[in-house]
Every structure is written in C-alpha cells, then in structure tokens.
Amino acid sequence: MAEEAISDMKQLLSGNEAIALGAYHAGVVVAAAYPGTPSTEILQSIARMDGVYAEWSTNEKVALEVAMGAAYGGVRAMATMKHVGLNVAADPFFAVSTTGTIGGLVVVSCDDPGEHSSQGEQDNRHLAKFAKVPMLEPTDSQEAYDLMEWAFTISEEFDTPVLLRATTRISHCKTVVEANKERKAELKQAAFTRCPTKYVMVPSNARPRRQAMEERIVKLRSYVEDFPMNEIITGDRKLGVISSGVAYQYAREVFKDASHLKLVTTYPIPVNLVRRFAQEVERVIVIEELDPYLEEEVRGLGIEVTGKDFIPIIGELNLEIVEQGAIKAGLLSEKPKPPLKSEVAPPQLPPRRPQLCAGCPHVAAEYVLRKLGFHAPDAKERQLKKDELVVTSDIGCYTLGVYPPLAALDTCACMGASIGQALGLEKAGVPNRTVAVIGDSTFMHSGITGLVDVVYNQGNTTVIILDNGTTAMTGHQGHPGTGISATGTKTQAVVLEKLAEGIGVKDVNVVDAFDMDALESTIKRCVANDEPSVIIVRGPCPLYVKPSGTPFEVDPDECAGCFDCLDLGCPAISVADDIARIDASVCVGTACGICAQICPHEAISEIKQ
Amino acid sequence: MNDVNVLMVGVGGHGVILASDGMSEIGMNNGYDVKKSDSLGMAQRGGSVVSHVRWGKHVFAPMIKKGEVDFLLGFEQLEAARWASYLKPDGVAIVADVVVIPISAMDGKIPYPSWDECKVVLSQYIDQIYLIPATRIAREVGNPRAVNMAMLGFLSAFLELEPEAWTDTMRRRLPPRFVESSVEAFLKGAAEAKEMITTKGVER
C-alpha cells in the first residue's frame, strides 16, 4: 500500500526511498539488510512493497549471503547496509565478486561522511576497486531511482555484483523524482543451475574465475565510456570540475560558470571521457568527499589535477567548505563577510547532546556499573574515580551512557567487539574485573561468537545483554530475538537465555531492568565468579512500547537538594528552586521508578491524584 | 519565482520534520524545484533537529550555505539562537515560544538563555526577529501538536504563494482528524504575521 503512496508521477523522495522504489520497479525479488544509519530506510521501504521478500538479517554478512544465494537462483536481489556494515560483509562481497552471479545482485553501501551516526568514517569507493566490483554513485534521488535498473542490468550483463554507493546527504535528502516505470510484469523464475566451476570456489575453480574478474573489468571499462548518466556540462573552459555524488551538487552551485564532468560510474571510471573533458578545459580540479579517490584515478591517467590540497579529506562537505576551498585555491575571490549588526557580547549557549530517554531500560544498569566501576559519587564532591570494573561496550543507544552523568563505559569500537575486548583485557592480565555490555540486537549481530569464545577459552567475563526487545537506535527494527519479521509478521524468537545456556554459560541471569537492587546484587555476584556469566537486563524501549505509567513527583518537603537523582541523567528530572523537579509530561513513572529507588530521602513517589 | 531558503531547527517531537516535509511538498506542487535535508542528530533521544528546505527554479545543493538562510524557523528558542549565524543580513527569524532545557544546562554552569539573550545572539545577524505565540495558537485550536502549523502560517505571510496553496496540500496529506485544527492553526499563524509584520522588526 505504501508503494502506491510513492508511485505518483512526480514526488519528493529521499535517496533511500528512491533506491527502494527503483529496485522494486527493476523487479528485485529478495532484499536483505541489517539496520544502520543512513541506510535503514531502504529495506523499511521495500518491506512494505508487495511481491518482494524482505528481511532484517542477523548482520550484514548474512544479508549479503542471502542476497547472493537469491542471485545464484537467478532472480534480482539486493543487500543494503551502512559503510561499516560492508566491512562485516566484506568476505561475501569479495567472494561473490569472484563467483559472479546469474540474477542481478546489487549491494548498497550508505557511507556517513562526518559521522553523523557512526563510530568511524570511511570511503567505501575503495572497496569497489579493492573487490573489483563496478560502482555507481547517484547525485540525487532521481538518479538513485534510475540507477537501480542500470545496476541490475550491469550485474546480469557482466556477471558481477554491483556496488551502489550513497552517502548520508544522498540517502537522507529529499529531491523531486519522476518514477516513470512500473514494476516489471514478468520476472525470471527462480532456478538453480549446477555449475561447480562457477559456484564452488576450490582453488582450481577460483583461479579461472580470477581471470574472469580481470576480463570483466576490461569490458566494463569500455562499457562505462558510453554510460548515459555520466555528463559533461560545458561552461567556461578555464576551469573543469570533476565530481560525483552529492559533491557534484556543491560543485555546480559553487562553480556556477565552470565546465563540469559528472561521474556516475566511479569504478571503473570512463577514461576516454575524462581525457576528453581534461583536453577541453584549461585547469582540472576534483571536488569529492572523503578520500582523493577520483583525484588519484584522474592523476593516474597523466592528467594534471588538484583537489585535496584545498578540499578537506575529513568530514562531509557543504557549500561553505567547497567555497572556502575554492578561495584558498585562488579559483574564487573572497567575499567580505557582512559585519555583525550588534556589538553586544552574546551568551554562551548550552549544547544539546543526545541522551538516554526517560524510562530507558539501559539507565539503571549503567548507573549500577558506574557505581561499581568507579567510587560512588559523593553528594558534595562529584569527582568520579576509577576503581574496580572495566566496562567494555558496544554499538547501540546504551553507548550514550559514556556521557556524564552516567559515564559508565570504557570502550566502544565496532559491532560485537565488547565481548572479545573484555576477554582480551582479562587474558592480558589486567587486574580489574571486566564486564562487557551489549544490546540484544548487537548480540545477535556479532556478540554470539564472542560469547562462544569466552566459554571455549575459559574466560570469566560477565556479559550484560541489555535486552530492550528491539533495534532501538536505528528506529525499532526487528531482530531474531524479537520474533517479529521485517514485514511485521510473527516468527520464531531466539530466546537469549536459552542461547547463552546452549553455548555453555552456566551462570545465566535475567534481571528486571528497573530493579536497582537486583541489578546491583547480580552484577556484584557475577563479577566475583570465576566463570563466564551472562546477565540479561530486560525491559522495553519506551519509545517503542510507549508505556503508560503514572508519573512521579518530588515532595518539596522531603527533597534535601542532594541531587543524587540527577546522576541518572534522566531528561524528566531537572532542578527548580534548589530542589529536584520531575516533568510529568516526560516521566513514565511507575513503568520505570528508578529515581525513587535511589533517592536517599524517599522524596520521590507517584503523583497523587 | 524567487528562491526560498528556510532552515527549520528544533528538538525531537515538535513536528519539525512534518513541517519541512509539508513545505517541501507544497513547493513542488506549486512549480518549484525542491530539495530538503534533515539532520536528525538522534533527535528522538534529545538531540537537536535541523531541516533545510530549498525552493528554487533549479536547486543544486540540498543544504543551505551558511549566511544564505532567508527564514530561520525556530521551533525552540535555544535552537533558534544556535543557528543564528546561518541567516543572511536581511533574513528573518520566526521563533516559537517553546523552551526545552537540555540536560547540559541542568547543573547551571552554562544556563539556558533567556529570550532576551537569544535575541542578543540573533540580533548580531539580523533585524527581523519574531517571537510567535505558537503554543497559544495550538491551544486555541485544541491541538497541542499544531505549533508547527502556526509556524508555517506565519512564514507563509512572507512568501508569494496564496494561503490556499498551502492549505490544499495540508488537506490532502494530513490525517483527516488533524486537518481542521492544522489548517486553523496555519491561518491563525498567518493572521498573527499580518499583524506583527506591520511593526517590522519589533517582536512583541
């Protein structure tokens, strides 16, 4: 039904919605993904379309393997992920580049320059070249839509997966799209044809495929010369600007009068087209986000070119950055900044950092970890000293607990790393006890193998699985523990405690996420044990279930103004007239209640009607 | 057809995205090329929300250049002050009377700025600053979520499209039970603007 909603002729679509609709019209049959900003909405959109099998996979590697299998079966398939997701899926990505595919296979990587919502920044264009996979980059939603048909066609014609690379400002910006196609009426019937020389990569089969990969790239090099979406815009020939992706839009706006070469096929690049463009203009520059990928490709052709000497290599670009770069390079003259209209000194503005929500089931566990990991905060002196626990952490909402006042976490690197890191610290001989904190979805993604490793190698790590029953950070997608599929149907739920027991953990505990005493006593007992232990801290995400608790209030006669409650970092609690105050419109009250449990003066209780 | 660059800023849950989606669609339906870009910054978790809306004959970049914003729609006062430097000298700030204190201001080290202090920040860049009784309008129409529609209504008074161009799209796209209150809030916002703009640059 949502497909109808976005199939009008002219519409505003985000890049992600356009990728989904383009794939749908191109006849995609299987789509798999693990949620990750800025890629999540692609699968969310596809999951609402009839006739497509869409799944949230346990992780990106599995997603790509599912899509690969479907493409082996002759149908069009896709796997979508964020940039770091392609690291997880790198193994099948390289593997399917070797085998090739029968049905069209498109991998979508949504990079996040500037790390809006990522633990790292990387330029996945290198991965296309590295894996010898052709790459397409849209410059807006219209191209994202149009490119999907091209991507599948190239995949089938050249026996290769295709990487469609977007970035945050392509994926999350809305631009006008004319979706002029309908879903292909006749799709290929799925069928698997035995062909061990293609699909069974023992060395004797893999070597000829290696040959085929190189031959494929040679053919693709000539194919992209005539690719219709690469475009020369002839303007003033003094300056020629080569760009791709969203950087093209900045380049067009900043260098209004220059000549432009827009590249949509960025691996391999159309060598002759670039040469021709370079010959037409006096000076060639490249405007691109992140690494000097195109610049090096162009320079490799013997063309004199600059770019990264005036455009930053770090972070995302915008008009101001490109303009400043152009001024630095002497390509534009500096415009005087308008003077400030007022001499009055402005006040400092407090930052607005993201934080855990009121009623968040992660807060109590992180509060207890801080209390055990560091000296308990003194009411007068708020200096926190490190003492006992090392808390390794993972990727999810709970990572926000690194910020004060919770300040509970010591590491966060990549999906699933917390458990291996904790074991490593222990095996290195670090005297502190280690606790690994990981979310339910992240544990499914890549925590399970870490826990198996702890059991197998006789570590005594305590693994705390913060089970809020959803993939919260990316907007509440299902995962194997939830028992809800990507399309919202009921499915078999993987039970965390049974899984841990099955792995061989003997000390498995399930604790109510809002029971401070139980959390503290369980964590204390488990870290003192000389065996692996798992504590499943269970409580629903309040943004997901919208609990209907009776809000709490502060009794002004009982509140002593110690502000211990502020150590929770709850957005419902603030200070007014030197006592604590609870915002009843935000507080979930009886559905949480952790502030009342820690108040030493028993000043917090349910609002009395 | 004039280019219009609107920066909408606020915090999660105040309808910034709905307003910018709406404005984008209205622009498209009335012949503009449109691009819009949202920075959600984990908005549902208390972070700030920033939405760029660009109308024009042909729009390239999906984000507005710093110093080129025609209209800053502040759905929250502190956020309006935070983005003041994006305004161009003859730009206009339209700010809702909404205050959401961030957790970083709770300990009082960097206190939440008063409206007068927010105005000091805005006044560095522009002369036209309007504080809109958007919460009152939302209350009057019986829909506390209609703050964003009152804001769009106020903005519409500065732009070339007729009110019907806005309300037609609203009627078509909003859930039926919110249509009447939203349209009413929009018209009240527009009426408020007619009254306030006559005393140009003076916020009441």
Side-chain angles (χ1 to χ4, degrees), chain A residues 124-195:
Chain A
N124 277 7
R125 293 179 298 176
H126 296 297
L127 277 169
K129 192 176 178 185
F130 192 6
K132 299 174 189 288
V133 169
M135 168 169 55
L136 305 172
E137 291 187 80
T139 66
D140 60 17
S141 299
Q142 180 70 59
E143 287 190 352
Y145 169 80
D146 292 335
L147 275 175
M148 290 312 292
E149 174 60 38
W150 283 105
F152 284 113
T153 303
I154 292 170
S155 172
E156 286 160 358
E157 195 172 323
F158 292 89
D159 188 13
T160 177
V162 170
L163 182 70
L164 185 112
R165 184 217 183 215
T167 56
T168 301
R169 298 294 176 182
I170 294 296
S171 286
H172 281 176
C173 290
K174 290 194 175 178
T175 73
V176 178
V177 175
E178 284 189 44
N180 50 6
K181 291 191 280 281
E182 283 179 9
R183 183 164 168 85
K184 283 189 190 332
E186 283 187 25
L187 302 177
K188 267 189 229 156
Q189 284 291 319
F192 182 72
T193 308
R194 268 193 87 219
C195 184

Side-chain angles (χ1 to χ4, degrees), chain A residues 301-354:
Chain A
L301 303 176
I303 295 166
E304 201 181 317
V305 58
T306 53
K308 285 297 158 185
D309 52 342
F310 58 88
I311 295 293
I313 199 166
I314 299 170
E316 72 173 4
L317 301 181
N318 58 37
L319 290 171
E320 197 195 8
I321 291 169
V322 174
E323 188 181 83
Q324 287 305 313
I327 291 166
K328 191 175 145 195
L331 297 164
L332 290 179
S333 51
E334 194 153 9
K335 280 181 238 157
K337 247 177 126 177
L340 289 180
K341 287 175 182 275
S342 148
E343 297 296 312
V344 183
Q348 203 185 347
L349 302 178
R352 196 182 296 277
R353 268 196 303 268

Side-chain angles (χ1 to χ4, degrees), chain B residues 116-129:
Chain B
D116 281 340
E117 287 174 313
C118 291
K119 262 200 308 192
V120 166
V121 179
L122 288 160
S123 302
Q124 290 184 294
Y125 303 95
I126 52 164
D127 304 315
Q128 296 188 70
I129 303 164

Side-chain angles (χ1 to χ4, degrees), chain A residues 12 169 173-175 249-250 252-253 319-320 323 340-341 350-352 354-355 397 472-473 569 574, chain B residues 11 21 35-37 39 42 45-46 54 61 63 65 76 79 82 89 100 103-104 106 123-125 127:
Chain A
L12 274 166
R169 298 294 176 182
C173 290
K174 290 194 175 178
T175 73
Q249 307 290 358
Y250 306 140
R252 283 296 302 274
E253 194 157 334
L319 290 171
E320 197 195 8
E323 188 181 83
L340 289 180
K341 287 175 182 275
R352 196 182 296 277
Q355 62 198 86
C397 285
M473 188 58 122
S574 61
Chain B
V11 298
D21 273 344
K35 284 190 179 168
K36 88 147 203 159
S37 177
S39 295
M42 294 192 253
R45 286 143 197 85
R54 305 191 72 188
M63 293 179 298
K65 197 170 88 187
E76 199 274 346
E79 295 309 309
R82 197 189 306 285
V100 181
I103 208 153
S104 66
M106 300 275 184
S123 302
Q124 290 184 294
Y125 303 95
D127 304 315

Side-chain angles (χ1 to χ4, degrees), chain B residues 59-128:
Chain B
V59 180
F60 288 109
M63 293 179 298
I64 309 162
K65 197 170 88 187
K66 196 172 180 179
E68 296 282 319
V69 168
D70 300 304
F71 300 94
L72 174 67
L73 255 62
F75 289 68
E76 199 274 346
Q77 290 176 196
L78 166 61
E79 295 309 309
R82 197 189 306 285
W83 291 89
S85 64
Y86 273 67
L87 279 153
K88 62 183 189 192
D90 59 348
V92 179
I94 301 168
V95 186
D97 55 345
V98 173
V99 169
V100 181
I101 298 172
I103 208 153
S104 66
M106 300 275 184
D107 63 8
K109 275 182 204 138
I110 312 175
Y112 188 94
S114 66
W115 171 240
D116 281 340
E117 287 174 313
C118 291
K119 262 200 308 192
V120 166
V121 179
L122 288 160
S123 302
Q124 290 184 294
Y125 303 95
I126 52 164
D127 304 315
Q128 296 188 70

